[in-house]
Amino acid sequence: MGCAPSIHVSHSGVIYCRDSEESNSPHQTTTISQGTATLHGLFVKTDAADSIPSVLAYQSRQPPPSAAPRRKERRESGGASARSRTPHCCSVEAETQTSSSSVKQASTTEIQVGPMRLTQYPIQVLLIFAKEDNQSNGFWWACDRAGYRCNIAWTPESALECFLDKHQEIIVIDHRNSRYFDAEDICRSIRAVEPSEHTVILAVVPRISADQEETSVLPLLDAGFDRQFMENSSVTACYNELVQIEHGEVRSQFKLRACNAVFTALDHCQEAVEITSEDHVIQYVNPAFEQMMGYCKGELIGKELTELPKSDKNCADLLDNINTFIKKGKEWQGVYHARRKSGDSIQQHVKITPVIGQGGKIRHFVSLKRLHCTNENNKQVYKSHHEEKYTGDNSQSESNSYKCKNRRKDSVDVKSITSQSSDAAPSLQTRRYSSMARIHSMTIEAPITKVINIINAAQENSPITVAEALDRVLEILRTTELYSPQLGTKDEDPHTSDLVGGLMTDGLRRLSGNEYVFSKNVNLSHSHLPVPNTINDVPPCIAQLLDNEETWDFNIFELEAVTNKRPLVYLGLKVFARFGVSEFLNCSEVTLRAWLQVIEANYHSSNSYHNSTHAADVLHATAFFLGKERVKGSLDHLDEVAALIAATIHDVDHPGRTNSFLCNAGSELAVLYNDTAVLESHHTALAFQLTTKDSKCNIFKNIDRNRYRTLRQAIIDMVLATEMTKHFEHVNKFVNSINKPMAPEETSPHSEGSDTECTANIKNFPDNQTLIKRMMIKCADVANPCRPLELCIEWAGRISEEYFAQTDEEKRQGLPVVMPVFDRNTCSIPKSQISFIDYFITDMFDAWDAFAHLPVLMQHLANNYKHWKTLDDLKCKSLRLPSENNN
Ligand code: AMP
Ligand code: ZN
């Protein structure tokens, strides 16, 4: 050790490799690049012009691959122009591996500053020593060990030049002997140049003897040194010092340098940015802020916010509110009136974010401000900026307005008003204003237009978060499918997606050329059926069963059995009598009986599910619901009659296939009803046709035209409501219009008598009555999961069988399989029931129960759900466990 470095660049431009003959020297071979010169050998003469200061440049190790591009860049920049700027710039790199095992690998280091990731390249050190001695060598070898790039300068001039060329992170200046040069002067001259701002300068001071007094470091600090190093030529001592500096100050400086990038970003940011201290003293404003407020930064920085004129429109409350918010470390956003230097008041959208710093305390507040462009002043401010900024630079102006057009509904962005001065397409904001103006001048407003207008108006003065939330609301309101929940496509259970696809879509998967031949055997006859003459002469076994008709647990399948699959006539007679339907319609019981008979005859007994037993079941549920206090109180007699008739006819002539099937098959009915609510339209139309065709069964023949029209309208509305594509629309409307408004009354302590009040309110609003009737028939239609377990199981078996038959036929006819899970060979009925309940039943019955109070149904629903879950957990795919099958 102790050998001098191997390369020396002289004033004459000659680089000497001294001591390189030594076999153990780490610098045996050197590569010298300067401009085009890349030479190997002991003596290297560069083509550098003029004086090249006495600089030694050395790097003992081959830099790691990650550092290579940087080196290459430096070499490339050593061309003619670079050379003339820095004539002495030379890089000398020894590429032999050092023999020293303790050498640290020079490598790049990843450093995190907040969210920024930086790469720190190997440290560069400049040693400024008047002459070579043990101390300079100590640092030299310490650099070698630490993997730092090292230069040595012997004169103040070469030192400065070398620094200006390489901007070393650490400079070590020999401060032991003032005979050769004045270390403090050198330090000052280096500090006088800008790049030294981030450099750590170390003074090597003479060792003091025991009897000497320690001197203050202050003169050194004043001269620009950062620290002192007591003379110590031990390589380890030098190494430790340098490494500590790297990990401490150099790294902090490196991080600080990154702030420059952030400040540059802020300076170019189009939003106004202001940074204050925790006491609201302005520390920074960006050019956009200066423009917006009309001040230059010199007038703002160092001022307390309270010293600036405030707009009178900001009430003290608002300022207090902001303060309380941000002092708690919370972000505040809102609209704020500010006064410009010129005295104008402008409206700004402001976002103030507290920044936590030292000691976990709030150390700064960062405010981002955008002009809120509703007031004239704002537009003026913007306009003047815009003109100032873009005059004579059309391309920039265009690209700016283009950017603005592409931004998401930047309703509050100042740039949105550019279209006044350019012929760019109107921005969203401008469009909003002009369309608002048009809408306001319209005389006939659709309710949705009114809603949108109200929201638009509310947006004008709301904080940006609210305005943005309202934007989202408007987006949703503008879609037509307001009530259809969006099914997740991938993760959704196939049973649910099949049911939804099968029940809630119409003609989307229609195939041409597959004709579904619809039964034309409309049954107009009723004479061949054994029917009782009056409700009083029904066979005793049937009468006995019907005694129980008012309870929810009434067994419709027993009635089906004893009536030879004609339960609808018998139940109809009984129920219609109970609700005084003949009286209301002013028709004889004979006509009513004939009508029931015709309707029942047009249900397909061959369908396992959609037969007249299902109609009777729905009629039974409807009658049950009509008996509930709230329902009875909310509806009129006409509504009751309409509901009972609707329930009776609601699936008449059902072919046992879904709407999707009919559409896919291109059936006559699908063609007739344009693939829209095909079956429901058919059930209603056919029912009225059958009723009015023959006066013997025309139950409407004796009511006046107006009453007929009202009744007919109510019936049609209810039957159409059973169409499943509108399921969520009906349920949601009911929840929003009936459940929600009732909820506060129910929880209020003075809710006595509120039941009658509430129903009276509903009665006053025919729209609400309509929602109740729709909900009632919908619930009655799919009440089978709320029936006693045995009945529920029977219905599940029947609907599954009907679906299986459809899948069989789809396969036979080469039609699209609408609900592939309903394949008789593979289907898990419990899973399908769980999906049906989860997706369609639970929410709807929760809402209906909340209104009509139906504890028995809800209990059955819970039990039945448990039944299906148990089967599913046991991987059982059928209706019951094998052990229960004999029951
Ligand atoms: P409707 O055709 O008027 O009876 O409408 C009710 C819809 O719900 C029909 O498409 C039925 O197929 C379906 N549905 C009723 N009960 C069930 C059930 N337990 N499982 C699956 N689907 C059902
Ligand atoms: Zn039905």
Side-chain angles (χ1 to χ4, degrees), residues 499 503 609-610 614 650-651 654 722 724 781-782 784 799 803 833 836:
L499 275 168
L503 305 183
Y609 179 89
H610 284 103
H614 168 61
H650 89 279
D651 272 337
H654 196 293
T722 63
M724 295 300 276
D781 193 19
V782 291
N784 63 74
I799 190 68
Y803 288 154
Q833 289 308 299
F836 183 68

Side-chain angles (χ1 to χ4, degrees), residues 29 110 135 174 228 255 301 328 486 509 594 659 712 726 844:
T29 311
E110 299 275 283
Q135 185 63 69
D174 187 3
Q228 69 171 19
K255 291 180 182 177
I301 290 174
K328 280 187 198 151
Q486 273 148 15
R509 286 175 283 183
N659 277 330
R712 173 174 152 79
K726 297 264 166 48
M844 181 167 74

Side-chain angles (χ1 to χ4, degrees), residues 139 170-173 175 187 191 199-205 217-230 237-238 240-250:
F139 275 112
I170 304 174
I171 299 177
V172 182
I173 305 179
H175 193 291
C187 185
R191 282 291 181 221
T199 298
V200 181
I201 308 183
L202 180 69
V204 181
V205 298
V217 291
L218 278 179
L220 287 180
L221 298 181
D222 286 345
F225 286 101
D226 294 292
R227 343 167 21 105
Q228 69 171 19
F229 175 79
M230 198 79 78
C238 298
N240 285 345
E241 179 70 11
L242 292 177
V243 168
Q244 285 181 64
I245 294 175
E246 181 199 344
H247 282 260
E249 283 180 77
V250 169

Side-chain angles (χ1 to χ4, degrees), residues 390-401:
Y390 297 115
T391 313
D393 188 354
N394 285 337
S395 61
Q396 217 178 338
S397 164
E398 268 162 30
S399 77
N400 192 53
S401 60

